[in-house]
Amino acid sequence: MKIAVLTGGGDCPGLNAVIRSVVRKGVQDYGFEFVGVRDGWLGALRDNMLPLDVSAVRGILPRGGTILGSSRTNPFKHEDGVRRIRDSLAAHDVDAMIVIGGEDTLGAATELSRQGINLVGVPKTIDNDVAGTDYTFGFDTAVGIATEAIDRLHTTAESHMRTLVVEVMGRHSGWIALHAGVAGGANAILVPERPFDIDQVCAWVKKRFEINYAPIVVAAEGAVPKEGEMVLKDRSRDEYGHVRLSGIGEWLAREIEGRTGTEARTTVLGHVQRGGTPSAFDRWLATRFGLHAVDAVRDGAFGTMVALRGTDIVRVPLDETRGRIKVVDPALYDEFEVFFG
Amino acid sequence: MKIAVLTGGGDCPGLNAVIRSVVRKGVQDYGFEFVGVRDGWLGALRDNMLPLDVSAVRGILPRGGTILGSSRTNPFKHEDGVRRIRDSLAAHDVDAMIVIGGEDTLGAATELSRQGINLVGVPKTIDNDVAGTDYTFGFDTAVGIATEAIDRLHTTAESHMRTLVVEVMGRHSGWIALHAGVAGGANAILVPERPFDIDQVCAWVKKRFEINYAPIVVAAEGAVPKEGEMVLKDRSRDEYGHVRLSGIGEWLAREIEGRTGTEARTTVLGHVQRGGTPSAFDRWLATRFGLHAVDAVRDGAFGTMVALRGTDIVRVPLDETRGRIKVVDPALYDEFEVFFG
Amino acid sequence: MKIAVLTGGGDCPGLNAVIRSVVRKGVQDYGFEFVGVRDGWLGALRDNMLPLDVSAVRGILPRGGTILGSSRTNPFKHEDGVRRIRDSLAAHDVDAMIVIGGEDTLGAATELSRQGINLVGVPKTIDNDVAGTDYTFGFDTAVGIATEAIDRLHTTAESHMRTLVVEVMGRHSGWIALHAGVAGGANAILVPERPFDIDQVCAWVKKRFEINYAPIVVAAEGAVPKEGEMVLKDRSRDEYGHVRLSGIGEWLAREIEGRTGTEARTTVLGHVQRGGTPSAFDRWLATRFGLHAVDAVRDGAFGTMVALRGTDIVRVPLDETRGRIKVVDPALYDEFEVFFG
Amino acid sequence: MKIAVLTGGGDCPGLNAVIRSVVRKGVQDYGFEFVGVRDGWLGALRDNMLPLDVSAVRGILPRGGTILGSSRTNPFKHEDGVRRIRDSLAAHDVDAMIVIGGEDTLGAATELSRQGINLVGVPKTIDNDVAGTDYTFGFDTAVGIATEAIDRLHTTAESHMRTLVVEVMGRHSGWIALHAGVAGGANAILVPERPFDIDQVCAWVKKRFEINYAPIVVAAEGAVPKEGEMVLKDRSRDEYGHVRLSGIGEWLAREIEGRTGTEARTTVLGHVQRGGTPSAFDRWLATRFGLHAVDAVRDGAFGTMVALRGTDIVRVPLDETRGRIKVVDPALYDEFEVFFG
């Protein structure tokens, strides 16, 4: 049996750990052969593959990124995409694929599976918003990096008695903001799932200053004010038409300064949240996902993805998770309001 | 309502995070009052308590250890222990206790609960071996520290082409060894749940050298050779009758050297695994445990402990977990044998 | 003898370590008394002081920030500033000051010293640009944080085969950029001391892509293109007149994309570089600076600052360093050009 | 010109960084060719060499260990050692060597240089005890790891109100103990250079307990009690004649328990101090050492080693440093006694 392994979407710590465990188990326990698809669906379209054996995956467990490369290419936006992928797979005598990716990559996988390509999915995203699994690998690493940053910012906030706004990743879901905000002892946590009231945020800020501590506000990049989506859209491109780096974090600092008369600064954590060595938790999860994905291929359980439920790895039909984002449950968010202000 | 908070047993990152969230939520949301019991059950026996308000718990979230102190005192091994605890609680008008501890501390709590003391338990141990909960806080931090150590040892093992044996905590269960060993890419993982065959370990070591890599062997301190419990007992005290620091790790290095004719060294990680700032995961879990423990007290759900199931915090009767250790499932251990050697 | 301790300017890891060692040695070895001045020169102007004894400095060695607070207040820009400071000091019977700060704070200290106030300076800045000392504390921590970020960004750059621009602190000097860029294996390092040629930067970027690696460009926030200071000034305020967060890093990514036709992204590290626990090196240096500053006071060596020369702590007249910024030596910068591209 | 690069002695973070910068600069700026000698002097004796070009050194900057391997082989203890080395070098047309090592490796290099082999030395040791240079690379990393461990141990010591003894590396010099002890806020620091009085140590321990804090004692592995060298020698081998892992740390905990009646525990940091990714400081220093070593070869400055003096890299005759260990200056040690107890 010959299996093609593909990694798609944004970079995520743990991708290499999945690739390694897939290949180690497949070769050693089942005698499978492997090829790696370069740069996500792009390599599948272009028949850009590399051989993948046990020696190719040695030493990659602790390394961030993916030795296969990645891209955000969507095969259904290319003419004849499905046929070209079929041809690539056939040219290499590939029997099945293991597709490691987030919502977009797995979405394409779901459709390809419907059209008859044998594949098993592995959910991946630092944002933790893939439906059907308790956690995705990469998330714990991102939360750890953000929490360490918040720890550091506390001391500077206190020294200067100013608000520090920390903008973390999370365009559609607030998992990183919520976990890192709770772990970092933030005084306000803003998530896309719940449009915020800027007056409430300023009230929390003032309450914190009143007891002689400096506020930390953690905002997901997708957080929006209740009244103000338009305001944010205006700010989203600069005078040259380029998308600006700055976003909700910068806007918040400005509003807090203007409305409370106290100093505020912003830090945008950015790409450091998605690179580098994975945490122990993510290496563990990614390794187990890889082992179970190979078992799913061996069992012919195509059209499923592996998923974490409690401490078990289970198989979930890709169809069930397609098009659904796992968002932060309001009841969970409310648990932590006692810490705001 | 007045609540006494107690931390017992070995030190564990996240204890302060529990204390903080208990007090913050109890005071702010329910108007409860709190006292802290000093040094575990010892302070309960001796009526050694300190006031505990919101200002006392500020800033302690990221700090390891416990501001209340801890001990391994068992109240049932003291004459009149239960009566003395009752008296201490009565002297401070305490209505209920929140008891944060591992198997021993919760064991005593279970018995006290049976005898009518109102209490709610919070499971704690870096070893992750409390039954009834997916994970305990402290475990993720310990695994992270051990994994980082293994990462470092890999390079030294390679530079000198020798085996490095890493002895991690885990007297009765191999959770730290298994998780850190998998995350660190160990070539052999030895756990108390499965007595090991030293010949098999040496075979793995030799196999690794054959492909020009240096082996890493991770052993829980409670790991034992199949044939050799007696041998280990002999080694447990030195010529002065003092318990020796050295244990299974040192024995393994010696045996590997003797049986394979290759160099081996041992590192015993020791107490660094149980101190210092908790990981983001542990802060999150400890914070949630604290919030839910206060809710359990408010609901009068005495005789239960809070526990993690998947992503939910649930209540489990203390009676159900009493006297049971959560050990590593053989099927889980077997998942990773593909990486040995 | 009674000494007032003051911390001024931007936050910097190691400030608390200096305060601790000053107070420990002053009290224990010489029987000095201490007061702390709140919020830099602001507290000196407003007679805002707090008592400072050995118990007040316990546990602060590993903590970032300053327990005294800081500000960027310049006493010479306040009417009667010098007289008000004299009055504050007299009101507390202060005999001498220990002033911990960067170029601005020490500049004010130099002038106050000329006007007869007994003081000793301790150089502080994460930027490492105070003249007269080999290193300042805070710098090693900042470099460590930036290097770890670069390590992480490498994997993401490789996974997506895009350029990552990392903007680090350093408005007037490129020390952080140079050290972190060298330690992080950057493919281009841009510092304020040497206006860069954007065509050269793009050539390095292309050269890196040609060997199938992804480029990392590290830029100090004060780096400027040879031809383009004006361009940068235009970008410095947004349409509301607010200073923008984004700067040279964003500009570079845009230019690289436009000129090379390859993808580029920017990460602005920001305030995380100046907060949090100090590195071991910075704790060592800050501790020694504190010990030697107290000795300087005891010896009546007023008008000097302590400084590092090799492994020795020496005293340097404040007058000698006044108004001088220590910039990166061109010969040092040139050492590393072999790694560019 | 063809240069052989050799790494000898114990593993040390930064070795790979030196190799990389040597090869990058040598090839790119001067057109030199390189071979790598495997496993220190052992490979030189056995003519075990590998080709070393720019592609071989890509990506190794942040990796601990040495891609060349290392050993503690002394060529002068092998018959015909010098002749065999000459033959190996001649067989590969090697014109000069760059020898990276500690006291033993550089000692052999000094003698080989006297006998006419063209070589330049690069000082290396985590112990920082090579004479003639302010610091060696590897030391800062080791101190950072030890300091982080001490930070963690503080919380456990406090939670249980017991002494924690931390045994760090340093057989002949106390640099790691002194720097990490100062940075970690230790209450006693014991170094080989100054035999300690166990009664004094116990007095410091008791003093610490009296103010309700728990003591941390940092001891270099080579620290010895004033009265007791013999006692320590007795303990150095177990009943099977094997060298024991345990040493001064274990002895100290025992004595403290026996003499003060308070609990004490020991942690032996061991090999984690010498592996893993180098700190930013060590990468910087190792990189510069490599660049300057190549320049020294180009200049024909054989028989010298590169060294750090302040912020400059200088050349020091190997003869001058031969047989000298750089120990901790008593005056430096005394600076920190104010923190003991």
Side-chain angles (χ1 to χ4, degrees):
Chain A
M1 189 149 191
K2 196 163 179 185
I3 303 173
V5 183
L6 175 153
T7 53
D11 194 26
C12 181
L15 288 167
N16 278 329
V18 179
I19 298 167
R20 167 183 174 263
S21 76
V22 159
V23 173
R24 289 288 296 266
K25 186 171 182 70
V27 171
Q28 294 176 211
D29 282 7
Y30 305 137
F32 293 165
E33 282 179 90
F34 290 89
V35 289
V37 182
R38 276 195 205 276
D39 301 333
W41 295 116
L42 192 67
L45 291 170
R46 293 185 180 171
D47 191 9
N48 191 353
M49 309 217 178
L50 72 166
L52 206 54
D53 60 11
V54 167
S55 72
V57 300
R58 285 219 188 278
I60 68 173
L61 166 64
R63 283 164 50 194
T66 162
I67 57 169
L68 302 177
S70 188
S71 72
R72 296 189 188 273
T73 302
N74 181 339
F76 292 97
K77 294 192 172 158
H78 287 72
E79 205 176 340
D80 263 347
V82 180
R83 189 192 49 74
R84 286 165 66 190
I85 289 174
R86 275 190 209 283
D87 289 351
S88 297
L89 298 176
H92 295 269
D93 297 318
V94 167
D95 302 293
M97 298 188 79
I98 290 179
V99 176
I100 312 164
E103 216 230 349
D104 291 342
T105 305
L106 293 181
T110 308
E111 189 51 38
L112 290 167
S113 175
R114 280 181 193 145
Q115 300 197 17
I117 291 177
N118 290 335
L119 60 81
V120 167
V122 177
K124 168 237 73 157
T125 161
I126 62 162
D127 293 331
N128 196 37
D129 59 3
V130 172
T133 184
D134 283 359
Y135 293 106
T136 44
F137 63 86
F139 172 63
D140 184 67
T141 306
V143 170
I145 293 167
T147 301
E148 198 193 311
I150 297 169
D151 281 358
R152 292 200 170 273
L153 295 171
H154 268 293
T155 70
T156 298
E158 298 296 337
S159 294
H160 294 290
M161 271 298 152
R162 58 165 75 131
T163 300
L164 275 173
V165 179
V166 192
E167 184 182 314
V168 299
M169 284 196 167
R171 215 161 287 217
H172 307 298
S173 68
W175 291 107
I176 294 177
L178 188 65
H179 276 247
V182 167
N187 307 104
I189 300 174
L190 311 178
V191 298
E193 291 87 343
R194 179 168 306 199
F196 62 84
D197 177 347
I198 184 69
D199 290 324
Q200 174 64 77
V201 173
C202 290
W204 285 328
V205 161
K206 281 189 270 188
K207 195 176 146 205
R208 186 80 180 162
F209 279 128
E210 275 161 21
I211 57 166
N212 277 314
Y213 281 83
I216 299 283
V217 176
V218 174
E221 58 186 330
V224 283
K226 268 181 182 157
E227 68 282 6
E229 240 184 295
M230 199 187 54
V231 175
L232 285 166
K233 269 191 200 125
D234 281 353
R235 295 180 318 95
S236 67
R237 292 189 175 273
D238 68 14
E239 60 273 39
Y240 308 103
H242 289 96
V243 174
R244 287 223 223 145
L245 267 187
S246 52
I248 187 65
E250 192 182 348
W251 184 84
L252 278 162
R254 235 182 253 165
E255 293 296 317
I256 290 168
E257 291 206 334
R259 287 161 186 257
T260 68
T262 59
E263 263 190 289
R265 294 284 184 282
T266 296
T267 290
V268 181
L269 288 187
H271 291 279
V272 289
Q273 293 163 90
R274 58 166 71 257
T277 193
S279 71
F281 182 96
D282 282 338
R283 295 188 201 178
W284 168 265
L285 182 57
T287 297
R288 292 192 75 200
F289 273 176
L291 298 174
H292 284 259
V294 167
D295 279 350
V297 168
R298 181 206 52 185
D299 295 347
F302 301 118
T304 65
M305 72 171 199
V306 292
L308 179 70
R309 293 279 169 83
T311 59
D312 295 325
I313 309 294
V314 299
R315 293 171 193 170
V316 179
L318 278 166
D319 267 334
E320 278 183 21
T321 66
R322 177 73 199 277
R324 290 168 48 211
I325 284 275
K326 183 180 69 177
V327 293
V328 173
D329 181 348
L332 182 65
Y333 182 87
D334 289 343
E335 280 189 19
F336 305 105
E337 280 201 307
V338 67
F339 298 116
F340 295 174
Chain B
M1 189 148 195
K2 196 164 179 185
I3 303 173
V5 183
L6 175 152
T7 53
D11 194 26
C12 181
L15 288 167
N16 279 328
V18 179
I19 298 167
R20 167 182 173 262
S21 76
V22 159
V23 173
R24 288 289 295 267
K25 186 171 181 73
V27 171
Q28 293 175 211
D29 282 7
Y30 305 136
F32 293 165
E33 282 179 273
F34 289 90
V35 289
V37 182
R38 276 196 205 275
D39 301 332
W41 295 117
L42 192 67
L45 291 170
R46 293 185 179 170
D47 191 7
N48 192 353
M49 310 218 179
L50 72 167
L52 206 53
D53 60 10
V54 167
S55 72
V57 300
R58 285 219 189 278
I60 68 173
L61 167 64
R63 283 164 49 193
T66 162
I67 58 169
L68 302 177
S70 187
S71 72
R72 296 190 187 271
T73 301
N74 181 341
F76 291 98
K77 294 193 172 156
H78 287 72
E79 206 177 339
D80 263 348
V82 181
R83 189 192 48 74
R84 287 165 65 189
I85 290 174
R86 274 189 211 284
D87 290 352
S88 297
L89 298 176
H92 295 269
D93 297 319
V94 167
D95 301 293
M97 298 188 79
I98 291 179
V99 176
I100 312 164
E103 216 231 348
D104 292 341
T105 305
L106 293 181
T110 308
E111 189 51 39
L112 290 168
S113 174
R114 281 182 193 145
Q115 300 196 19
I117 291 176
N118 290 334
L119 60 82
V120 166
V122 177
K124 166 238 75 155
T125 161
I126 63 162
D127 293 331
N128 196 38
D129 59 3
V130 172
T133 183
D134 283 0
Y135 293 106
T136 45
F137 62 87
F139 172 63
D140 185 67
T141 305
V143 170
I145 292 167
T147 302
E148 198 193 312
I150 297 169
D151 281 358
R152 291 200 170 274
L153 295 170
H154 268 294
T155 70
T156 297
E158 298 297 336
S159 294
H160 293 291
M161 271 299 151
R162 58 165 75 130
T163 301
L164 276 172
V165 179
V166 192
E167 184 183 315
V168 299
M169 285 196 166
R171 215 161 287 216
H172 307 298
S173 68
W175 291 107
I176 294 177
L178 188 65
H179 276 246
V182 168
N187 307 105
I189 300 174
L190 311 178
V191 298
E193 291 87 342
R194 177 166 308 199
F196 62 85
D197 177 347
I198 184 68
D199 290 324
Q200 174 65 78
V201 173
C202 289
W204 285 328
V205 161
K206 281 189 270 188
K207 195 175 147 205
R208 185 79 180 162
F209 279 127
E210 275 161 20
I211 56 167
N212 277 313
Y213 281 83
I216 299 282
V217 176
V218 174
E221 58 185 330
V224 283
K226 268 180 182 158
E227 67 282 5
E229 241 184 295
M230 198 187 57
V231 175
L232 284 166
K233 268 190 201 129
D234 281 352
R235 295 179 316 97
S236 66
R237 289 185 179 275
D238 67 14
E239 59 273 39
Y240 308 104
H242 288 97
V243 174
R244 286 222 224 146
L245 265 186
S246 52
I248 187 65
E250 192 181 348
W251 184 84
L252 278 162
R254 235 182 253 164
E255 294 296 318
I256 290 168
E257 291 205 334
R259 287 161 186 256
T260 68
T262 59
E263 264 190 288
R265 294 284 184 282
T266 296
T267 291
V268 181
L269 288 188
H271 292 279
V272 290
Q273 293 164 89
R274 56 167 71 257
T277 192
S279 71
F281 181 95
D282 282 338
R283 296 188 200 177
W284 167 266
L285 182 57
T287 297
R288 292 193 75 200
F289 273 175
L291 298 174
H292 284 260
V294 166
D295 279 351
V297 168
R298 181 206 52 185
D299 294 347
F302 300 119
T304 65
M305 72 171 199
V306 293
L308 179 71
R309 293 279 169 85
T311 60
D312 295 325
I313 309 295
V314 299
R315 292 171 193 169
V316 178
L318 279 166
D319 268 334
E320 278 183 22
T321 66
R322 178 73 199 276
R324 290 168 48 210
I325 283 274
K326 184 180 68 178
V327 293
V328 173
D329 181 347
L332 181 65
Y333 182 86
D334 289 343
E335 278 189 21
F336 305 106
E337 280 201 306
V338 67
F339 298 116
F340 295 174
Chain C
M1 189 147 192
K2 196 164 180 186
I3 303 172
V5 183
L6 176 153
T7 54
D11 194 26
C12 181
L15 288 167
N16 279 327
V18 179
I19 297 168
R20 166 183 174 264
S21 75
V22 158
V23 173
R24 289 288 295 267
K25 187 171 181 72
V27 171
Q28 294 175 211
D29 282 6
Y30 305 136
F32 292 165
E33 283 179 90
F34 289 90
V35 290
V37 182
R38 275 194 205 276
D39 301 332
W41 295 116
L42 192 67
L45 291 170
R46 292 185 181 169
D47 190 7
N48 191 353
M49 309 218 179
L50 72 166
L52 205 54
D53 60 11
V54 167
S55 71
V57 301
R58 285 219 188 278
I60 67 173
L61 167 64
R63 284 165 49 196
T66 162
I67 57 169
L68 302 177
S70 187
S71 72
R72 295 191 188 271
T73 301
N74 181 340
F76 292 98
K77 293 192 174 158
H78 287 72
E79 206 176 339
D80 263 349
V82 180
R83 189 192 48 74
R84 287 166 64 191
I85 290 175
R86 274 189 210 283
D87 289 351
S88 297
L89 298 176
H92 295 268
D93 297 320
V94 167
D95 302 293
M97 298 188 78
I98 290 179
V99 177
I100 312 164
E103 215 231 348
D104 291 342
T105 305
L106 293 181
T110 308
E111 188 52 38
L112 290 167
S113 174
R114 279 179 194 147
Q115 300 196 18
I117 292 176
N118 289 336
L119 59 82
V120 166
V122 177
K124 168 238 72 156
T125 161
I126 63 162
D127 293 331
N128 196 36
D129 59 2
V130 172
T133 183
D134 283 359
Y135 293 106
T136 46
F137 62 87
F139 172 63
D140 185 67
T141 305
V143 170
I145 292 166
T147 301
E148 198 193 310
I150 297 169
D151 280 357
R152 292 199 170 274
L153 294 170
H154 268 293
T155 72
T156 298
E158 298 296 337
S159 294
H160 294 291
M161 271 299 151
R162 59 166 74 130
T163 300
L164 276 173
V165 179
V166 192
E167 184 182 314
V168 299
M169 285 196 167
R171 215 161 288 216
H172 307 299
S173 69
W175 291 107
I176 294 177
L178 188 66
H179 276 246
V182 167
N187 307 105
I189 300 173
L190 311 178
V191 297
E193 289 87 340
R194 177 167 310 198
F196 62 85
D197 177 347
I198 184 68
D199 291 323
Q200 174 65 77
V201 174
C202 291
W204 285 327
V205 161
K206 280 190 270 189
K207 195 177 148 204
R208 185 79 180 163
F209 279 127
E210 275 161 21
I211 56 167
N212 278 311
Y213 282 83
I216 299 282
V217 176
V218 174
E221 58 185 329
V224 285
K226 267 180 182 157
E227 69 282 4
E229 241 184 294
M230 198 186 57
V231 176
L232 285 166
K233 270 191 200 128
D234 281 353
R235 294 178 320 95
S236 65
R237 291 186 178 273
D238 67 12
E239 59 273 40
Y240 308 104
H242 289 97
V243 173
R244 286 223 223 145
L245 268 185
S246 52
I248 187 67
E250 193 182 346
W251 184 84
L252 277 162
R254 231 183 256 163
E255 294 295 318
I256 290 169
E257 290 206 335
R259 289 162 185 255
T260 68
T262 59
E263 264 190 288
R265 295 285 184 282
T266 297
T267 291
V268 181
L269 288 187
H271 292 278
V272 291
Q273 293 163 90
R274 55 167 71 257
T277 193
S279 71
F281 181 96
D282 282 337
R283 296 187 200 177
W284 168 266
L285 182 57
T287 297
R288 292 192 75 200
F289 272 176
L291 298 174
H292 285 259
V294 166
D295 279 350
V297 168
R298 181 206 50 186
D299 294 347
F302 301 118
T304 65
M305 72 171 199
V306 292
L308 179 71
R309 293 281 169 84
T311 58
D312 295 325
I313 309 294
V314 299
R315 294 171 192 168
V316 179
L318 279 166
D319 267 333
E320 278 183 20
T321 67
R322 178 72 200 277
R324 289 168 48 210
I325 284 276
K326 183 180 68 177
V327 293
V328 173
D329 180 347
L332 181 65
Y333 182 87
D334 289 343
E335 279 189 20
F336 305 106
E337 280 202 305
V338 68
F339 299 115
F340 295 174
Chain D
M1 189 147 193
K2 196 164 179 186
I3 304 173
V5 182
L6 176 154
T7 54
D11 194 25
C12 180
L15 288 167
N16 278 327
V18 179
I19 297 167
R20 166 183 174 263
S21 76
V22 159
V23 174
R24 289 288 297 266
K25 187 171 180 73
V27 171
Q28 294 176 211
D29 282 8
Y30 305 136
F32 293 164
E33 283 179 272
F34 290 90
V35 290
V37 182
R38 276 195 205 276
D39 301 332
W41 294 117
L42 191 67
L45 290 170
R46 293 185 180 171
D47 190 8
N48 192 353
M49 310 219 179
L50 72 166
L52 206 55
D53 60 10
V54 167
S55 72
V57 301
R58 285 218 189 279
I60 67 172
L61 167 64
R63 283 165 50 196
T66 162
I67 57 169
L68 302 177
S70 188
S71 72
R72 296 191 188 272
T73 301
N74 182 340
F76 291 98
K77 294 192 173 159
H78 287 72
E79 204 176 341
D80 264 349
V82 180
R83 189 192 48 76
R84 286 165 65 190
I85 290 174
R86 274 189 211 284
D87 289 351
S88 297
L89 298 176
H92 295 268
D93 297 319
V94 167
D95 302 293
M97 299 188 79
I98 290 179
V99 177
I100 312 165
E103 215 230 349
D104 291 342
T105 306
L106 293 181
T110 308
E111 188 53 38
L112 289 168
S113 174
R114 280 180 193 146
Q115 301 196 17
I117 291 177
N118 290 335
L119 60 82
V120 166
V122 176
K124 167 238 73 156
T125 161
I126 62 162
D127 294 330
N128 196 38
D129 58 3
V130 173
T133 183
D134 283 359
Y135 293 106
T136 45
F137 62 87
F139 172 63
D140 185 67
T141 305
V143 170
I145 292 167
T147 301
E148 198 193 310
I150 297 169
D151 280 358
R152 291 200 170 274
L153 294 170
H154 269 293
T155 71
T156 297
E158 298 296 336
S159 293
H160 293 291
M161 271 298 152
R162 60 166 74 130
T163 300
L164 276 174
V165 178
V166 192
E167 184 182 315
V168 299
M169 285 196 167
R171 215 160 286 217
H172 307 297
S173 68
W175 290 107
I176 294 177
L178 188 66
H179 276 246
V182 167
N187 307 105
I189 300 174
L190 311 178
V191 298
E193 290 88 341
R194 178 167 308 199
F196 62 85
D197 177 347
I198 184 69
D199 291 323
Q200 173 65 76
V201 173
C202 290
W204 285 328
V205 161
K206 281 190 269 188
K207 194 176 148 204
R208 185 77 180 164
F209 279 128
E210 275 161 20
I211 57 166
N212 277 313
Y213 281 83
I216 300 282
V217 176
V218 175
E221 58 185 330
V224 284
K226 268 182 182 157
E227 68 281 6
E229 241 184 292
M230 198 186 58
V231 176
L232 284 166
K233 270 191 200 126
D234 281 352
R235 294 179 318 94
S236 66
R237 292 189 175 270
D238 67 13
E239 58 273 40
Y240 308 104
H242 288 96
V243 173
R244 286 223 223 145
L245 266 187
S246 51
I248 186 67
E250 193 182 347
W251 184 85
L252 278 162
R254 233 182 255 165
E255 294 295 317
I256 290 169
E257 291 206 335
R259 289 161 185 256
T260 68
T262 59
E263 263 190 288
R265 294 284 185 282
T266 297
T267 290
V268 181
L269 288 187
H271 292 279
V272 291
Q273 293 163 88
R274 56 166 69 259
T277 193
S279 71
F281 181 96
D282 282 338
R283 297 188 200 177
W284 167 266
L285 182 58
T287 298
R288 292 192 75 200
F289 273 175
L291 298 174
H292 284 258
V294 167
D295 279 350
V297 168
R298 181 206 49 185
D299 294 347
F302 301 118
T304 65
M305 72 171 200
V306 292
L308 179 70
R309 295 279 169 84
T311 59
D312 295 325
I313 309 293
V314 300
R315 293 171 193 169
V316 179
L318 279 165
D319 267 334
E320 278 183 21
T321 66
R322 178 71 201 277
R324 289 168 48 211
I325 285 276
K326 183 180 69 178
V327 293
V328 173
D329 180 349
L332 181 65
Y333 182 87
D334 290 343
E335 279 189 22
F336 305 106
E337 280 202 305
V338 68
F339 299 115
F340 295 173

